[in-house]
Amino acid sequence: MSESGCLFCRIASGEIPAQEVRSTPDVVAFRDINPQAPTHILIIPRKHISSVSEMAEEDAELVGKMFLMARDLAVEEDISEPGFRMVVNAGADAGQTVFHIHLHLLGGRVMGWPPG
C-alpha cells in the first residue's frame, strides 16, 4: 500500500481524526477504536514503515522513541504497576492488519499467556 493510502499515515497527518493521546515530531499515540483492554493505545511513527521486516538500521532510534513513549504513557495511564503489555505484530500471519508499524500498549486487566 502506498503511503497516501495508509490509514495510519493519514491519522498521523491529521487527515483522519483519532483520539490522540500524545504527539511528537516523530511519533503519534492514539486510542484504539476496537480496544482489547481497558487501556489500548496505538503508538506509530510518522514515517511510513510497512512492517518490522521493512525496518532499516536508521529506524532504530525511531522505534526506541516509540517504546519510550509507551513507557511514559503506561505511567500516565496508571497501568505501569501492576503491569502492561506491548505488542508489535509483523505480517498477516501474526495478525498485522494495518501495514504501518505500530506498537499496541495494553493494560488495565490481567493478560493471559500464551497471547495468541
Side-chain angles (χ1 to χ4, degrees):
M1 175 176 292
S2 72
E3 291 179 40
S4 63
C6 172
L7 173 65
F8 286 173
C9 285
R10 295 172 69 198
I11 288 172
S13 72
E15 181 182 341
I16 294 176
Q19 190 178 353
E20 191 174 286
V21 178
R22 172 153 317 147
S23 177
T24 70
D26 298 316
V27 179
V28 179
F30 54 93
R31 299 206 184 272
D32 194 297
I33 61 169
N34 184 25
Q36 301 301 303
T39 297
H40 189 167
I41 297 171
L42 300 176
I43 301 165
I44 66 169
R46 290 186 185 276
K47 175 184 177 183
H48 182 82
I49 305 168
S50 296
S51 175
V52 171
S53 302
E54 302 297 320
M55 288 173 43
E57 292 294 323
E58 64 264 16
D59 296 323
E61 183 178 349
L62 180 59
V63 172
K65 290 178 181 182
M66 293 168 59
F67 275 78
L68 291 173
M69 184 179 283
R71 175 204 62 195
D72 294 344
L73 290 172
V75 171
E76 291 173 20
E77 296 281 322
D78 291 324
I79 61 170
S80 184
E81 291 296 330
F84 57 95
R85 180 171 288 169
M86 297 184 298
V87 177
V88 178
N89 298 315
D93 282 358
Q96 185 177 7
T97 57
V98 177
F99 287 86
H100 180 121
I101 64 167
H102 53 286
L103 174 63
H104 296 259
L105 173 62
L106 300 142
R109 67 170 173 82
V110 174
M111 304 287 162
W113 195 262

